[in-house]
Amino acid sequence: MEYIPDLTPAATALERAHALEAPTPAKAEGPPTLGLGGAILLLNAVFHVFEFLFLPSQSSDGPLRAVQLAGTLVGVGVDALLGIGFLRGKTSLRTLALVRLIVGMFLFGGISLLQGQFLFTLVTFAFSFGVMVLIWGKPSVTLAGAGLTAVMLASLVEVIGFVKLDATQSLDERARIALRPDLQGRELTHEDSIVGTKRAYSLRVPSDGWFRHKPDSPGALDAPADVWLSHPERNGHLLVALRSAPEEVLDPNEAREAALRDLRTRFPDFQEAELEGPAPETPPAITGTATRNGQAMRFEVSLHPAGDVLLRVTAAAPQGTFETLQLAGATTQVRPD
């Protein structure tokens, strides 16, 4: 009888060796929507940059503006870090993301609520809720859909807001104003009056939300500009230029013709319109429309003699916001001293 070796002991030893091996821990898996949440956080970082560049501060309170700026810069960095991490599948960042979303929801939502920006408060809460659903746990199809819908609605409101802003004033101009390279002082309201720099006169501020330009700021509607106010939110401008030409100071009609020539030189498509209401007591004023930086603007100019100089006051704003800013007749509110 042929001898057949018994393989049972060897097999048993092999199984025993496998049994003694330490089990390999399973890799922690995040929800299938984790990468989607990361992409949304990266997109939110981009929105933060756009808001910083294109939206001037809504508050005139210095400490509150500082909190908003610090929150924006920190938010961009944290959202970029979390977004990249989630796209790479790092579930260990979910706790940090949860803290960021809760703090952001109450910080930015609370600031917006204090400023009466109820729509932005709702957007902040909807965005935070939606992202938390996508990155935490394993949401059902219904819950994930609700979270994604909330994020999409919040993003849609942001996009619509930027489109409306661009319709009022181009985003590149908003970026320069938001960075405030040439504005100074606090926000001015309709209760304020400003005084001249080189001559003694006062000018009433027509409405709220105006800022004064620094001396010699480039881009004024008239030159040399002694005082120049801008309304960043609505692309409004109100300035006083000093004219010392003798013929303009002594002859009202010559002063008007010179102002009209300057307007047509700066804005070749300027179209003069008839004045509404009674004629002012000062030398004849000018009103009309022209295109500035690709946008239709309404202009009003009035002339005021002040000793050996002429104060030429110019107001301009988009046609849809000229009346809203109460610029009609604002150029006649200058008072030479």
Side-chain angles (χ1 to χ4, degrees), residues 210 228-232 234-238 297 316-318 321 325 327:
W210 293 84
W228 178 14
L229 304 181
S230 286
H231 195 293
R234 298 186 180 273
N235 194 18
H237 302 272
L238 179 63
M297 303 279 285
T321 61
L325 292 175
L327 284 176

Side-chain angles (χ1 to χ4, degrees), residues 105-118:
M105 179 169 58
F106 287 101
L107 177 62
F108 291 105
I111 290 176
S112 302
L113 190 62
L114 288 175
Q115 295 178 341
Q117 301 173 21
F118 303 112

Side-chain angles (χ1 to χ4, degrees), residues 145-166:
L148 183 59
T149 300
V151 172
M152 291 177 63
L153 289 176
S155 301
L156 181 62
V157 171
E158 290 268 7
V159 172
I160 292 175
F162 282 122
V163 171
K164 288 187 175 181
L165 288 174
D166 186 66

